[in-house]
Amino acid sequence: MAEPRKHGTVMMTNAEQAALAAAPKPAAAIVDRWSKHCYGTKSALCFEIGLTKDQEHTVFLQGATAIGERTYDWKNGKITVQLSVGEMLGVLGVLLSVKSKFEGTAHGVENDKGFSIEHQGDKFFGKIQQKNKGMRAVPITFADATEVAALVIGQLCKVMRMSDVALMNLVMRMQPKAPVQPAANARA
């Protein structure tokens, strides 16, 4: 008879351990489909949580063009970028009104995609672009920006393995103390 060995806190025989090792492993972690859409008359943006190919939590930013009244081309006219941790922190800095603007560049296989988000006083403004596909640009209300900030905070907490309170304390301590001024081209 095989000698039992400890596996965690459970005693298992060699046969049981072999069966456990041979058992099918669960597929990639199931990710909730949490997203926030921001709509303009000519374009729309979508911030959506997801996983990288290495199974790290991230935020995907997508932009689509309008093809009719309140209808957007999310299949053929979509541009997508995956935000890095640094980019999620930069976007969060703008949404918390501690930075006036953040840009992410050199995305995609050909480094031909980019995005930006800007604080404009009474609203935010987001855009995503790709060479030969143009730009998708949308004003973002404070209500929508709050939902996007919550989505980004949730993903950062998972990646950085810290609570939302610890993350917010860290972000606020690392930001400049001077109040943010709206971008120069913002309307008063």
Side-chain angles (χ1 to χ4, degrees), residues 126-184:
K127 60 185 174 182
I128 186 170
Q129 67 271 341
Q130 182 175 8
K131 185 178 177 181
N132 298 326
K133 275 196 168 182
M135 182 183 303
R136 316 311 188 241
V138 175
I140 302 171
T141 66
F142 275 99
D144 287 345
T146 302
E147 290 184 58
V148 172
L151 183 146
V152 171
I153 290 167
Q155 291 302 86
L156 282 168
C157 288
K158 292 172 188 171
V159 168
M160 299 175 79
R161 293 166 179 80
M162 60 176 49
S163 72
D164 55 350
V165 172
L167 174 66
M168 295 306 296
N169 284 333
L170 177 65
V171 168
M172 297 310 284
R173 267 188 279 135
M174 295 179 72
Q175 298 301 330
K177 300 297 181 204
V180 170
Q181 300 298 317

Side-chain angles (χ1 to χ4, degrees), residues 78-143:
K78 180 170 67 173
I79 301 170
T80 303
V81 297
Q82 173 185 303
L83 278 60
S84 69
V85 172
E87 289 170 332
M88 287 189 280
L89 287 166
V91 167
L92 184 59
V94 174
L95 296 174
L96 295 175
S97 299
V98 292
K99 292 178 74 157
S100 60
K101 185 175 183 177
F102 180 80
E103 293 184 14
T105 60
H107 281 267
V109 176
E110 297 180 24
N111 295 324
D112 62 344
K113 298 179 187 180
F115 72 95
S116 68
I117 187 160
E118 185 174 353
H119 186 276
Q120 294 187 334
D122 61 339
K123 67 181 177 304
F124 296 89
F125 195 77
K127 60 185 174 182
I128 186 170
Q129 67 271 341
Q130 182 175 8
K131 185 178 177 181
N132 298 326
K133 275 196 168 182
M135 182 183 303
R136 316 311 188 241
V138 175
I140 302 171
T141 66
F142 275 99

